[in-house]
Amino acid sequence: MTENGQVLVTGVGARTPVGADASSSWSALLAGKSGVRALEEEWAADLPVSVAAGLTEDPAAALPRTRARKLDRSEQLAILTSREAWQDAGAPEVEPERLAVVIGTGTGGVLTTLGQDDLFEQSGARRLSPFAVPMLMPNGPAAWVSMDLGAKGGARTPVSACASGAEALAMGLDLLRAGRVDVVVAGGVEACLHPFTLAAFAQMKALSPQFEDPESVSRPFDVARSGFVMGEGAGIMVLERAGFARARGARTYGALAGAAVSSSANHITASDAAGQVHAIETALRDAELTPRDIGHVHAHATSTESGDLAEAEAIGRAVGTHAAVTATKSMTGHMLGASGAVGGLAALLALRDGVVPAVRNLDTLDPRIELDVVRGEPRTGRWHAALANSFGFGGHNVSLVFTA
């Protein structure tokens, strides 16, 4: 691929259930640490699930109190994580009109929506916050980050359920290749741990009902898996045109070499291997790579039987069985709209460091899964390219390809 079409990653940021930044999150994943904990809050007492993966630190505590109270938790996360990635990239000097923001989310400011609705019902209209609307709107995280960084090249918000963060990265890649901007701050964010959302996911039998030993509940690919664990977090990358990054002497993590978005168009919640195969194969063509070039796959793998089996089939058909496969939701839980961006970050850092995290809690691999799933200890090696998958309710399929 020519330099004009190449897109480099120059900065990363993350806030996850296992770490307060990208570096600590990555170290925790390699160490096999779990962020899943028992829900001991009073509001969780009557819920049908009793575990979740919350953040290690409250984002509100890192912002001035007057600022934090005007922001939904998802917006707080987006601002802090984008600042981390921006500083990690060296705070590029770029014309405001050549800087864009793309931050996806699955539920937006749902905590504000639910909290303000409770207040309205209890105390009436006059008690509502004047900031409620900008706090609840899904484009809030992207909008606030654009203002924080002075980005005038567009503030975009893909909302595609659990594929939102990955789709944001794919959109950023398209903007840079089209030459519309020089730098894009892209990724995903989600903060929706609330009795309503937990109960709703539990009602559709998506969440694991297991409660003993919380750290063992999320178990992708394991024969004893029983559903996913809901989490929260954010993952952000700074993407740059290769020529722009090299001209300023930027340090790089690698390249976002290809991406693809497909829609299965067959069921609102069920996984579909055919649609996933289409996304993976298209992403590989976009990156000008073959299946054999992929040394590592970061699987979406949420720890549901149907989802894990469909993706395993898709990986086998589109990539083969030679690649080292991991699933870090075994440690972070499922961060919904942030998961694709954090998964992409894990795939990128695996290439940089030559090590793939092991899947936690994988005691007995489901015999129907014929993949080289990394378990026990991290896998070391040197790989040129990695694939990161992300799939969402509605039939949204996104595959990203990173190269070292």
Side-chain angles (χ1 to χ4, degrees):
M1 185 175 292
T2 65
E3 186 173 273
N4 288 336
Q6 190 177 30
V7 171
L8 302 177
V9 182
T10 60
V12 297
R15 287 194 170 224
T16 73
V18 296
D21 54 24
S23 177
S24 60
S25 294
W26 178 235
S27 296
L29 294 178
L30 291 178
K33 294 182 178 179
S34 175
V36 181
R37 303 170 184 86
L39 286 169
E40 298 177 344
E41 293 83 355
E42 184 177 346
W43 55 257
D46 296 326
L47 290 177
V49 295
S50 55
V51 298
L55 294 171
T56 60
E57 296 182 6
D58 182 3
L63 294 166
R65 186 169 180 273
T66 54
R67 181 84 187 279
R69 64 189 296 267
K70 299 177 183 178
L71 301 168
D72 181 79
R73 187 174 175 89
S74 66
E75 296 170 340
Q76 297 167 3
L77 273 172
I79 290 172
L80 294 171
T81 310
S82 294
R83 285 178 180 175
E84 179 194 348
W86 188 251
Q87 292 302 315
D88 187 51
E93 293 185 7
V94 56
E95 295 179 12
E97 291 77 14
R98 301 289 295 174
L99 171 63
V101 173
V102 188
I103 298 179
T105 180
T107 62
V110 68
L111 294 183
T112 293
T113 301
L114 294 168
Q116 289 291 297
D117 180 63
D118 287 344
L119 187 62
F120 175 71
E121 292 180 357
Q122 294 166 6
S123 304
R126 291 185 179 275
R127 295 300 304 275
L128 293 179
S129 169
F131 307 106
V133 171
M135 290 172 70
L136 64 84
M137 59 191 193
N139 62 304
W144 278 114
V145 170
S146 73
M147 288 181 274
D148 197 57
L149 299 179
K152 298 183 178 180
R156 305 188 181 197
T157 305
V159 179
S160 46
C162 305
S164 301
E167 187 165 348
L169 292 167
M171 187 178 293
L173 178 65
D174 288 343
L175 287 171
L176 291 162
R177 283 179 172 173
R180 295 192 177 123
V181 291
D182 296 315
V183 182
V184 178
V185 177
V189 62
E190 202 75 85
C192 64
L193 294 183
H194 183 280
F196 175 85
T197 53
L198 287 162
F201 274 102
Q203 188 68 7
M204 64 186 301
K205 310 300 182 184
L207 299 185
S208 172
Q210 183 182 337
F211 62 90
E212 295 180 353
D213 189 12
E215 294 186 353
S216 71
V217 175
S218 185
R219 42 197 324 114
F221 299 133
D222 190 84
V223 69
R225 63 194 176 283
S226 57
F228 74 79
V229 174
M230 189 182 294
E232 60 179 348
I236 299 290
M237 296 186 193
V238 176
L239 309 176
E240 302 187 34
R241 288 192 306 104
F244 185 87
R246 289 173 179 147
R248 71 179 189 86
R251 177 202 59 185
T252 63
Y253 286 87
L256 177 53
V261 177
S262 76
S263 48
S264 294
N266 72 335
H267 195 279
I268 196 65
T269 58
S271 300
D272 172 62
Q276 295 171 12
V277 167
H278 178 57
I280 296 170
E281 291 180 340
T282 305
L284 288 174
R285 287 195 297 270
D286 187 49
E288 299 178 358
L289 296 175
T290 69
R292 291 298 306 180
D293 292 320
I294 299 298
H296 158 50
V297 176
H298 186 282
H300 181 66
T302 63
S303 189
T304 64
E305 181 178 9
S306 61
D308 289 0
L309 291 176
E311 184 177 13
E313 178 187 345
I315 293 171
R317 288 167 53 185
V319 176
T321 59
H322 64 278
V325 178
T326 194
T328 58
K329 290 184 183 68
S330 60
M331 294 168 274
T332 65
H334 191 354
M335 295 174 284
L336 307 182
S339 62
V342 175
L345 176 58
L348 178 68
L349 295 181
L351 290 178
R352 182 197 66 174
D353 295 344
V355 58
V356 175
V359 180
R360 184 184 169 95
N361 303 320
L362 183 49
D363 299 327
T364 304
L365 181 68
D366 188 321
R368 294 168 290 180
I369 294 174
E370 299 177 350
L371 298 174
D372 181 14
V373 182
V374 180
R375 48 181 166 166
E377 297 294 331
R379 179 83 54 84
T380 58
R382 284 295 167 188
W383 305 280
H384 169 63
L387 173 76
N389 289 329
S390 191
F391 311 123
F393 286 171
H396 302 279
N397 309 305
V398 182
S399 291
L400 306 171
V401 177
F402 295 91
T403 54

